[in-house]
Structure formats: C-alpha cells, structure tokens
Amino acid sequence: MTSNLYTVFDCSIIYLPRIQNRAGNITPVTNLENIPFIIKRIYYLYDMPGGESRGAHAHKKLEQLVIALSGSFDITLDDGRNKKSIHLARPYMGLHMLPGMWRDINNFSSGAICLVLASELYDEKDYIREYSEFMEYKKALIQ
Ligand code: TYD
C-alpha cells in the first residue's frame, strides 16, 4: 500500500512480549518478528521540559514504533482526514506509525523517555514540516 492510502486507523498498538520475573521484566524486540519492519535507526527523546510538545511533522516513507520506555505521553495522529490520540504509558506497548501521518507528541510526564525504532536512516528530505504542505501532499497523492 502506498502512503497516501494509510489512515490513522491503520496505526495500531503493538503489544511486545513481556518476560516477567520477580526481579523485573524484559521486553525483547526482534526485526520482523515483533515489529513489521527492519530497524535501521533507534533514537530517544528525554529531558523534555513540562508543557513542551514535539513532532509537528510528517514523513513520506518512514515507519516508526514509538514506546514510552519510562513515564507517559500522548501522540496525536492526523492523516489529513481523521485524527486519533493515543496515550502511551507502558514499556511493552508500541504505537506503529505509518508514513503520511502528521504527528504531535505532548503531555510528557516528568522523566518520560520516548523510544523510537525507525525503518530508515535520518533523512531530512523525508520530512514534511509545514502542515499546509502536508495537506497538499496528501491531496496530490489521493488524486
Ligand atoms: P525532529 O525529528 O524534528 O524531532 P522532533 O519531531 O522530536 O521535534 O529532529 C530534531 C532535530 O534533530 C533535527 O534538527 C534533526 C535532528 N535529528 C537527527 O540529526 N537525527 C535523527 O535521527 C533525528 C530523529 C533527529
């Protein structure tokens, strides 16, 4: 499916395995086994000041799995027609974000760590950073 056809409803929560033990838990993530793409890059957001928001962009090709490794935050997805907000608060729950979604991440709890597993290397050309440009991009793809 090309990115124009994805909607916010295709972006689902993936429940990662949890190996539970008296001494704590382990969550393994394996390419193509627990997540539907091959991880080429990992990054994480931390030390977010209270009230800050991140994101405010879309990607043309990139797929991501976003995990609240510690603490919690909200992600709002917008496919140009529909919006959906997801609260992430557990390290075994990942939001699978498909290409062509405008996203905002906000409401970070104190000490939150947002882990992102990404299907591509960093490429500024893959970003759409203006909302009006995003809407034009979506409209052009649908036609
Ligand atoms: P950006 O993806 O816009 O972050 P956010 O959406 O969380 O605000 O990235 C912020 C800056 O960091 C931008 O200048 C690009 C740089 N950056 C990298 O150099 N490599 C990376 O893998 C990422 C994710 C960002």
Side-chain angles (χ1 to χ4, degrees):
M1 201 191 294
T2 52
S3 62
N4 61 312
L5 298 176
Y6 289 130
T7 74
V8 295
F9 307 110
D10 299 314
C11 298
S12 55
I13 294 287
I14 292 178
Y15 287 85
L16 298 165
R18 247 191 311 168
I19 302 164
Q20 291 174 294
N21 181 299
R22 252 185 332 122
N25 303 331
I26 295 179
T27 288
V29 184
T30 307
N31 281 333
L32 302 177
E33 193 176 301
N34 314 115
I35 62 168
F37 57 84
I38 292 176
I39 301 164
K40 285 198 189 157
R41 175 170 54 116
I42 294 172
Y43 63 92
Y44 36 96
L45 311 176
Y46 55 99
D47 284 352
M48 280 72 72
E52 272 305 328
S53 67
R54 311 275 321 207
H57 64 251
H59 287 281
K60 296 174 187 167
K61 190 172 165 206
L62 187 71
E63 272 184 70
Q64 292 158 305
L65 190 81
V66 183
I67 300 166
L69 211 53
S70 183
S72 64
F73 47 83
D74 297 330
I75 303 185
T76 301
L77 296 178
D78 174 355
D79 60 23
R81 283 192 179 165
N82 314 287
K83 286 188 183 181
K84 176 164 108 169
S85 282
I86 300 105
H87 181 66
L88 289 179
R90 303 299 294 160
Y92 54 83
M93 282 170 63
L95 175 63
H96 182 211
M97 294 207 293
L98 289 157
M101 300 293 145
W102 189 265
R103 82 283 310 273
D104 280 297
I105 314 179
N106 54 40
N107 201 21
F108 292 102
S109 68
S110 166
I113 299 177
C114 171
L115 175 71
V116 183
L117 312 179
S119 66
E120 304 294 335
L121 300 179
Y122 174 75
D123 177 8
E124 186 57 38
K125 292 192 293 301
D126 191 62
Y127 282 74
I128 305 172
R129 292 193 181 272
E130 291 294 330
Y131 191 76
S132 56
E133 199 188 312
F134 168 68
M135 290 305 285
E136 289 303 315
Y137 172 79
K138 296 296 276 193
K139 266 192 232 153
L141 285 174
I142 286 162
Q143 279 158 14

